[in-house]
Amino acid sequence: MARFALIQNLYTENLGLMYLSAYLQRQGHESRIFVDVHGTNAFAEVEAYRPQAIGFSCTTGMHHWALDFARRYKDKHPDTPVLLGGPHPTFYPWIIRDPVVDYVCVGEGEGALVELADALETSPPYNTGLEPLAGEIGNLWVKLGDEIVRNPLRPLIDDLDSLPLGDRGAFPMRDILEESAYEMSMMASRGCPLACTYCCNHAWAKLYSGLGRYVRFRSVDDVLDEIEQLARTYRIETLYFE
């Protein structure tokens, strides 16, 4: 069983990290989400958790915070590998050249993260014993000494109903809901059919060309089940579809 710390710097639900955390747990690993904002002590909380790896999902701009946190953490825990994923690393995976970054996940992260967790569970320390990762984990770029191995993309996840619901238990939901006037977010699909000029969606679609349906939907029953669960558990007043 590998233990992952997933870290964000927004005091809100992060649907991407929630899905990754839930998927890791379903596959028998441990995962927690930590929020690093003013008034929290995420660094000490992550240290107390003693993860085998720390991961960040970041957009452009937010990557500066992720690298700074990872650098400070590695100064004290040099053998803890660092994984970056999300939009910025997907479109600029060469961020792996930064000395503090060990892995970059390009595109969807569920399968790559679980296979990395499996490898960390059974392998010697990451910087000497994960050479088999070089050609085995789709979507993952791996730093092996001075070499950077760029594994190919795996197909998109087609059956969204097969994914667990996001791990909302990792968040201080009562405080977050009070801040948002009891509004909660969810997703009923993946892959936007539009190509707005200000958005990276057209680049996502091009990246995954030939690797499955880009626009995918959850079933109506699956979406309704989640809505009922959220309304019952959190007594939300507004539901926002991302």
Side-chain angles (χ1 to χ4, degrees), residues 52 79 81 103 116-133 144:
Q52 289 170 268
D79 289 334
Y103 311 112
L116 176 58
D118 291 341
L120 291 172
E121 181 182 15
T122 58
S123 297
Y126 80 97
N127 55 350
T128 59
L130 291 187
E131 283 78 3
L133 287 179
L144 296 174

Side-chain angles (χ1 to χ4, degrees), residues 18 135 169 232:
M18 284 163 42
R232 182 175 59 253

Side-chain angles (χ1 to χ4, degrees), residues 27-237:
Q27 301 302 319
H29 299 287
E30 290 186 32
S31 176
R32 277 186 58 189
I33 300 173
F34 298 86
V35 181
D36 181 41
V37 297
H38 181 71
T40 67
N41 195 2
F43 192 94
E45 292 172 356
V46 172
E47 281 191 309
Y49 185 58
R50 300 179 64 184
Q52 289 170 268
I54 60 175
F56 305 85
S57 177
C58 49
T59 55
T60 299
M62 189 188 295
H63 70 285
H64 296 298
W65 156 80
L67 292 174
D68 178 68
F69 190 107
R71 194 171 292 114
R72 289 186 293 118
Y73 196 85
K74 274 212 161 185
D75 282 345
K76 296 184 67 175
H77 308 279
D79 289 334
T80 302
V82 170
L83 168 70
L84 261 59
H88 186 80
T90 290
F91 297 117
Y92 184 65
W94 289 109
I95 196 172
I96 197 172
R97 289 174 174 151
D98 189 288
V100 79
V101 181
D102 302 290
Y103 311 112
V104 162
C105 181
V106 177
E108 288 186 330
E110 282 87 356
L113 195 58
V114 164
E115 290 182 23
L116 176 58
D118 291 341
L120 291 172
E121 181 182 15
T122 58
S123 297
Y126 80 97
N127 55 350
T128 59
L130 291 187
E131 283 78 3
L133 287 179
E136 294 182 0
I137 298 186
N139 292 27
L140 207 67
W141 285 34
V142 182
K143 184 185 291 177
L144 296 174
D146 295 330
E147 181 184 5
I148 295 172
V149 180
R150 298 175 286 170
N151 290 317
L153 282 174
R154 63 183 70 212
L156 288 161
I157 298 171
D158 189 64
D159 181 10
L160 300 185
D161 286 4
S162 67
L163 299 174
L165 300 183
D167 177 19
R168 285 185 167 84
F171 290 94
M173 288 306 305
R174 178 172 297 183
D175 294 339
I176 289 175
L177 287 171
E178 288 179 358
E179 289 284 333
S180 68
Y182 285 82
E183 176 181 287
M184 187 168 278
S185 299
M186 64 177 291
M187 296 184 72
S189 63
R190 285 191 181 185
C192 178
L194 305 178
C196 300
T197 56
Y198 59 81
C199 183
C200 65
N201 181 64
H202 66 285
W204 281 102
K206 182 178 179 180
L207 182 72
Y208 272 107
S209 178
L211 291 172
R213 293 187 304 154
Y214 180 61
V215 180
R216 295 145 289 153
F217 296 92
R218 296 166 58 186
S219 70
V220 173
D221 287 342
D222 193 52
V223 173
L224 290 177
D225 286 345
E226 182 172 10
I227 293 173
E228 291 176 355
Q229 177 178 317
L230 296 180
R232 182 175 59 253
T233 304
Y234 300 106
R235 299 185 179 181
I236 55 175
E237 296 186 7

